[in-house]
Amino acid sequence: MSPSSAPPFQPYPPNSPPPINTLGAHPENLPYSGHTHAGSGQALVRSKRHWPLANVYFGFSGILGFKERWSLILFVVFGGALMAFCIARAEFFNVNRLLELMIPGEWYLYRSEPYKGLLMFHIYTSIFAGFWAVWQFIPAIRRNHVSLHRLNGYLTLILLIPSTVIGSVIARRAYGGAVAIQAAFYVQGILVTYSAIVGYWYVKKNTRKHRKWMLRSVVYLAASVTAKLIQLISRQIVSNVGSYYTIWTCPEVQFLQAVGHGVPDFASTYPACASDPNTSTFADQNSIHLLVHASMDETSVNRGSAVREVVAMSIFVAILIHALGVEIYIRSTENMNRFRRGFVLERTEDGDDEKPVNDL
C-alpha cells in the first residue's frame, strides 16, 4: 500500500470513550480501577474525611517546630505527663499537709531536721525544674528564641542538679530507708545528674550531643512519673498475693497510732511496742523491729508497707523503660538533629553533605 492510501492514525479503538485527563485532577474525580493499592482514587477518597484533623495536627506541629510525624504526640503525652505530675505535686509545698499527703510512715522519718529542710528544698526545686525542663524541647523556641532557650536552660540546671543531689541524700530515709530503695534513688540521681552535666558541657561545643544528653537527663527525671504508675499496679498485686511483709520499727507504728492512722487494737497487734514507757526507754523501743503485712486492703500501716515493698522495683523498671525509650527516639530522629553555627542550625558537619554524623 502506498503512503498516500494509508488510513489515518487512530491512537484509540473506534467507539471507545474519550481519554480522561488526570493531570492535576482532584482524587475525588479519579476513576476507580477496582484496586485499593496506595495512591488509587478510592483509597484517597476514603482518607479524605481524615484530612481536616490531620491538617490541624501537622499545622500545630509545624508551629511548634516539630519535623517528625510522631514528635508532637510524644511531646504531648510524655511532656504533658511530666508537667501534670509537677503541677499535681505542688500541693506538697504546704508543709502542714505533708502528714496526710505522704505515704503512711514517711513523715515520721522526715519531720525532724535536717531531713525536713532538705525534703522541702528537694520538693520545691524538683517541681520547678521538671516543669521548666519540658519547655526546652519545643523546637520553635530552640530555633527562633535562642536567648530564651538558654535562660530557661540555665535556670532548669540550677534547680535540677542540686535537687537531684539532695534527693539522693534524703533517700537514706525514703520509704523506710531499705538498701534496695536507696540504691534505686541513687541510680536515678546519678543518671539525671551525669546526663545534665554532660549536656551542659556540650552546649557550645556540639549542639547535637547537647540535645541528646539533655533529652536523656529529662527522660531519666521523668522516670519518677512512670514509677508512680507502676507502684499503683504492683502494690495491688502484692496485696492480692498476700505473703509480703516489710520491716518497721516501734516508733514508726507508734507515731502513726498517735496521729490517728494506727490500728484499732494496738496492744494486741503490736505487743512488743505496747510496753509501759516507764520501763522501756525510747532507745529500746527504737531497736525493736516488726514485720508488717503489705496490703492495700487493711490499715494505714499495712498500706505503707505495701508501698515500701514495691518502690525499689518500680523505680528500676521505670528507669529501664525510659532508658530504652530515649535511645530509640534519639536514633530514630537522627536525621533531624542539627549543628549550630552561630544562630544557624545545620544538619551536617563541615565536609559532610550527605548524612549527619551518628554520634552519641
Side-chain angles (χ1 to χ4, degrees), residues 16-31:
S16 63
I20 299 177
N21 180 14
T22 59
L23 182 60
H26 192 276
E28 190 175 14
N29 299 323
L30 291 176

Side-chain angles (χ1 to χ4, degrees), residues 245-262:
Y245 293 81
T246 59
I247 299 176
W248 292 56
T249 63
C250 279
E252 289 179 292
V253 295
Q254 288 171 344
F255 175 78
L256 286 178
Q257 192 73 21
V259 297
H261 297 293

Side-chain angles (χ1 to χ4, degrees), residues 287-299:
S287 65
I288 299 176
H289 292 78
L290 310 168
L291 283 178
V292 178
H293 184 229
S295 174
M296 297 298 297
D297 304 321
E298 300 179 29
T299 65

Side-chain angles (χ1 to χ4, degrees), residues 137-184:
F137 298 96
I138 298 180
I141 297 178
R142 296 202 311 265
R143 296 164 186 162
N144 303 326
H145 305 280
V146 179
S147 298
L148 178 61
H149 174 74
R150 289 176 177 173
L151 176 61
N152 188 60
Y154 288 133
L155 290 175
T156 301
L157 282 177
I158 290 173
L159 295 174
L160 178 62
I161 294 179
S163 170
T164 306
V165 173
I166 295 301
S168 299
V169 173
I170 63 177
R172 174 65 182 86
R173 292 289 184 263
Y175 301 98
V179 175
I181 296 175
Q182 294 183 55

Side-chain angles (χ1 to χ4, degrees), residues 191-247:
L191 290 173
V192 172
T193 305
Y194 176 79
S195 300
I197 293 175
V198 175
Y200 175 74
W201 175 262
Y202 283 118
V203 66
K204 293 184 179 180
K205 296 178 173 64
N206 189 314
T207 309
R208 292 163 57 86
K209 291 184 178 182
H210 166 70
R211 168 188 173 270
K212 294 177 181 180
W213 282 103
M214 296 311 298
L215 185 61
R216 290 183 177 111
S217 179
V218 175
V219 169
Y220 292 140
L221 174 67
S224 298
V225 182
T226 304
K228 294 294 183 182
L229 299 177
I230 297 175
Q231 287 177 29
L232 294 176
I233 301 173
S234 56
R235 69 189 189 185
Q236 193 59 51
I237 295 176
V238 165
S239 302
N240 294 337
V241 173
S243 59
Y244 289 92
Y245 293 81
T246 59
I247 299 176

